[in-house]
PDB file of all heavy atoms in Angstrom:
ATOM      1  N   ASP I 357    -192.796  33.446  40.260  1.00 81.00           N
ATOM      2  CA  ASP I 357    -193.910  33.407  41.206  1.00 81.00           C
ATOM      3  C   ASP I 357    -194.041  34.755  41.917  1.00 81.00           C
ATOM      4  O   ASP I 357    -193.163  35.141  42.687  1.00 81.00           O
ATOM      5  CB  ASP I 357    -193.680  32.290  42.218  1.00 81.00           C
ATOM      6  CG  ASP I 357    -194.842  32.098  43.149  1.00 81.00           C
ATOM      7  OD1 ASP I 357    -195.868  32.774  42.981  1.00 81.00           O
ATOM      8  OD2 ASP I 357    -194.727  31.256  44.061  1.00 81.00           O
ATOM      9  N   PRO I 358    -195.131  35.502  41.680  1.00 83.00           N
ATOM     10  CA  PRO I 358    -195.286  36.815  42.311  1.00 83.00           C
ATOM     11  C   PRO I 358    -195.743  36.739  43.765  1.00 83.00           C
ATOM     12  O   PRO I 358    -195.812  37.751  44.441  1.00 83.00           O
ATOM     13  CB  PRO I 358    -196.356  37.489  41.446  1.00 83.00           C
ATOM     14  CG  PRO I 358    -197.164  36.365  40.916  1.00 83.00           C
ATOM     15  CD  PRO I 358    -196.221  35.213  40.752  1.00 83.00           C
ATOM     16  N   SER I 359    -196.034  35.546  44.272  1.00 81.00           N
ATOM     17  CA  SER I 359    -196.534  35.435  45.638  1.00 81.00           C
ATOM     18  C   SER I 359    -195.428  35.482  46.683  1.00 81.00           C
ATOM     19  O   SER I 359    -195.706  35.407  47.877  1.00 81.00           O
ATOM     20  CB  SER I 359    -197.337  34.136  45.799  1.00 81.00           C
ATOM     21  OG  SER I 359    -196.489  33.018  45.700  1.00 81.00           O
ATOM     22  N   ARG I 360    -194.203  35.619  46.257  1.00 81.00           N
ATOM     23  CA  ARG I 360    -193.068  35.710  47.185  1.00 81.00           C
ATOM     24  C   ARG I 360    -192.353  37.053  46.997  1.00 81.00           C
ATOM     25  O   ARG I 360    -191.289  37.117  46.394  1.00 81.00           O
ATOM     26  CB  ARG I 360    -192.109  34.559  46.942  1.00 81.00           C
ATOM     27  CG  ARG I 360    -192.763  33.231  47.193  1.00 81.00           C
ATOM     28  CD  ARG I 360    -191.802  32.102  47.040  1.00 81.00           C
ATOM     29  NE  ARG I 360    -192.541  30.857  47.233  1.00 81.00           N
ATOM     30  CZ  ARG I 360    -192.398  29.793  46.499  1.00 81.00           C
ATOM     31  NH1 ARG I 360    -191.539  29.783  45.514  1.00 81.00           N
ATOM     32  NH2 ARG I 360    -193.095  28.713  46.751  1.00 81.00           N
ATOM     33  N   PRO I 361    -192.940  38.126  47.530  1.00 83.00           N
ATOM     34  CA  PRO I 361    -192.319  39.441  47.349  1.00 83.00           C
ATOM     35  C   PRO I 361    -191.035  39.575  48.173  1.00 83.00           C
ATOM     36  O   PRO I 361    -190.823  38.855  49.145  1.00 83.00           O
ATOM     37  CB  PRO I 361    -193.390  40.415  47.835  1.00 83.00           C
ATOM     38  CG  PRO I 361    -194.279  39.623  48.713  1.00 83.00           C
ATOM     39  CD  PRO I 361    -194.192  38.207  48.255  1.00 83.00           C
ATOM     40  N   SER I 362    -190.209  40.502  47.762  1.00 85.00           N
ATOM     41  CA  SER I 362    -188.972  40.794  48.481  1.00 85.00           C
ATOM     42  C   SER I 362    -189.297  41.467  49.807  1.00 85.00           C
ATOM     43  O   SER I 362    -190.394  42.000  49.985  1.00 85.00           O
ATOM     44  CB  SER I 362    -188.094  41.731  47.639  1.00 85.00           C
ATOM     45  OG  SER I 362    -187.833  41.141  46.393  1.00 85.00           O
ATOM     46  N   PRO I 363    -188.333  41.486  50.737  1.00 89.00           N
ATOM     47  CA  PRO I 363    -188.578  42.204  51.998  1.00 89.00           C
ATOM     48  C   PRO I 363    -188.909  43.670  51.739  1.00 89.00           C
ATOM     49  O   PRO I 363    -188.309  44.314  50.887  1.00 89.00           O
ATOM     50  CB  PRO I 363    -187.250  42.063  52.747  1.00 89.00           C
ATOM     51  CG  PRO I 363    -186.627  40.834  52.176  1.00 89.00           C
ATOM     52  CD  PRO I 363    -187.060  40.787  50.738  1.00 89.00           C
ATOM     53  N   GLY I 364    -189.912  44.185  52.434  1.00 89.00           N
ATOM     54  CA  GLY I 364    -190.344  45.565  52.264  1.00 89.00           C
ATOM     55  C   GLY I 364    -191.417  45.737  51.203  1.00 89.00           C
ATOM     56  O   GLY I 364    -191.906  46.845  51.001  1.00 89.00           O
ATOM     57  N   GLU I 365    -191.775  44.668  50.499  1.00 91.00           N
ATOM     58  CA  GLU I 365    -192.811  44.729  49.476  1.00 91.00           C
ATOM     59  C   GLU I 365    -194.061  44.001  49.970  1.00 91.00           C
ATOM     60  O   GLU I 365    -193.969  43.053  50.755  1.00 91.00           O
ATOM     61  CB  GLU I 365    -192.343  44.079  48.172  1.00 91.00           C
ATOM     62  CG  GLU I 365    -191.250  44.813  47.467  1.00 91.00           C
ATOM     63  CD  GLU I 365    -190.838  44.132  46.174  1.00 91.00           C
ATOM     64  OE1 GLU I 365    -190.984  42.901  46.058  1.00 91.00           O
ATOM     65  OE2 GLU I 365    -190.357  44.838  45.281  1.00 91.00           O
ATOM     66  N   GLU I 366    -195.215  44.456  49.490  1.00 91.00           N
ATOM     67  CA  GLU I 366    -196.489  43.817  49.805  1.00 91.00           C
ATOM     68  C   GLU I 366    -197.175  43.433  48.505  1.00 91.00           C
ATOM     69  O   GLU I 366    -197.084  44.160  47.515  1.00 91.00           O
ATOM     70  CB  GLU I 366    -197.408  44.770  50.581  1.00 91.00           C
ATOM     71  CG  GLU I 366    -196.885  45.207  51.910  1.00 91.00           C
ATOM     72  CD  GLU I 366    -197.781  46.260  52.552  1.00 91.00           C
ATOM     73  OE1 GLU I 366    -198.544  46.953  51.834  1.00 91.00           O
ATOM     74  OE2 GLU I 366    -197.711  46.401  53.779  1.00 91.00           O
ATOM     75  N   LEU I 367    -197.882  42.313  48.517  1.00 92.00           N
ATOM     76  CA  LEU I 367    -198.628  41.865  47.348  1.00 92.00           C
ATOM     77  C   LEU I 367    -200.040  42.434  47.405  1.00 92.00           C
ATOM     78  O   LEU I 367    -200.727  42.313  48.421  1.00 92.00           O
ATOM     79  CB  LEU I 367    -198.679  40.336  47.313  1.00 92.00           C
ATOM     80  CG  LEU I 367    -199.326  39.705  46.087  1.00 92.00           C
ATOM     81  CD1 LEU I 367    -198.544  40.051  44.817  1.00 92.00           C
ATOM     82  CD2 LEU I 367    -199.397  38.200  46.256  1.00 92.00           C
ATOM     83  N   TRP I 368    -200.470  43.073  46.322  1.00 94.00           N
ATOM     84  CA  TRP I 368    -201.816  43.640  46.205  1.00 94.00           C
ATOM     85  C   TRP I 368    -202.454  43.086  44.953  1.00 94.00           C
ATOM     86  O   TRP I 368    -201.769  42.697  43.996  1.00 94.00           O
ATOM     87  CB  TRP I 368    -201.754  45.170  46.131  1.00 94.00           C
ATOM     88  CG  TRP I 368    -201.417  45.812  47.439  1.00 94.00           C
ATOM     89  CD1 TRP I 368    -200.225  45.723  48.114  1.00 94.00           C
ATOM     90  CD2 TRP I 368    -202.269  46.613  48.241  1.00 94.00           C
ATOM     91  NE1 TRP I 368    -200.303  46.428  49.283  1.00 94.00           N
ATOM     92  CE2 TRP I 368    -201.538  46.987  49.392  1.00 94.00           C
ATOM     93  CE3 TRP I 368    -203.573  47.060  48.104  1.00 94.00           C
ATOM     94  CZ2 TRP I 368    -202.077  47.783  50.394  1.00 94.00           C
ATOM     95  CZ3 TRP I 368    -204.106  47.855  49.099  1.00 94.00           C
ATOM     96  CH2 TRP I 368    -203.363  48.213  50.235  1.00 94.00           C
ATOM     97  N   VAL I 369    -203.778  43.061  44.938  1.00 94.00           N
ATOM     98  CA  VAL I 369    -204.515  42.565  43.784  1.00 94.00           C
ATOM     99  C   VAL I 369    -205.681  43.506  43.508  1.00 94.00           C
ATOM    100  O   VAL I 369    -206.329  43.987  44.429  1.00 94.00           O
ATOM    101  CB  VAL I 369    -204.986  41.108  44.002  1.00 94.00           C
ATOM    102  CG1 VAL I 369    -205.895  40.995  45.198  1.00 94.00           C
ATOM    103  CG2 VAL I 369    -205.670  40.547  42.781  1.00 94.00           C
ATOM    104  N   GLU I 370    -205.893  43.807  42.223  1.00 93.00           N
ATOM    105  CA  GLU I 370    -207.058  44.593  41.834  1.00 93.00           C
ATOM    106  C   GLU I 370    -208.195  43.616  41.579  1.00 93.00           C
ATOM    107  O   GLU I 370    -208.029  42.634  40.849  1.00 93.00           O
ATOM    108  CB  GLU I 370    -206.787  45.414  40.583  1.00 93.00           C
ATOM    109  CG  GLU I 370    -207.952  46.308  40.214  1.00 93.00           C
ATOM    110  CD  GLU I 370    -207.717  47.099  38.945  1.00 93.00           C
ATOM    111  OE1 GLU I 370    -206.883  46.702  38.114  1.00 93.00           O
ATOM    112  OE2 GLU I 370    -208.402  48.129  38.771  1.00 93.00           O
ATOM    113  N   VAL I 371    -209.330  43.867  42.210  1.00 93.00           N
ATOM    114  CA  VAL I 371    -210.481  42.972  42.075  1.00 93.00           C
ATOM    115  C   VAL I 371    -211.712  43.753  41.639  1.00 93.00           C
ATOM    116  O   VAL I 371    -211.825  44.946  41.906  1.00 93.00           O
ATOM    117  CB  VAL I 371    -210.798  42.232  43.401  1.00 93.00           C
ATOM    118  CG1 VAL I 371    -209.661  41.316  43.793  1.00 93.00           C
ATOM    119  CG2 VAL I 371    -211.121  43.194  44.516  1.00 93.00           C
TER     120      VAL I 371
END
Side-chain angles (χ1 to χ4, degrees):
D357 185 4
S359 68
R360 298 184 183 137
S362 303
E365 292 181 332
E366 298 174 337
L367 185 63
W368 287 67
V369 60
E370 184 182 22
V371 296

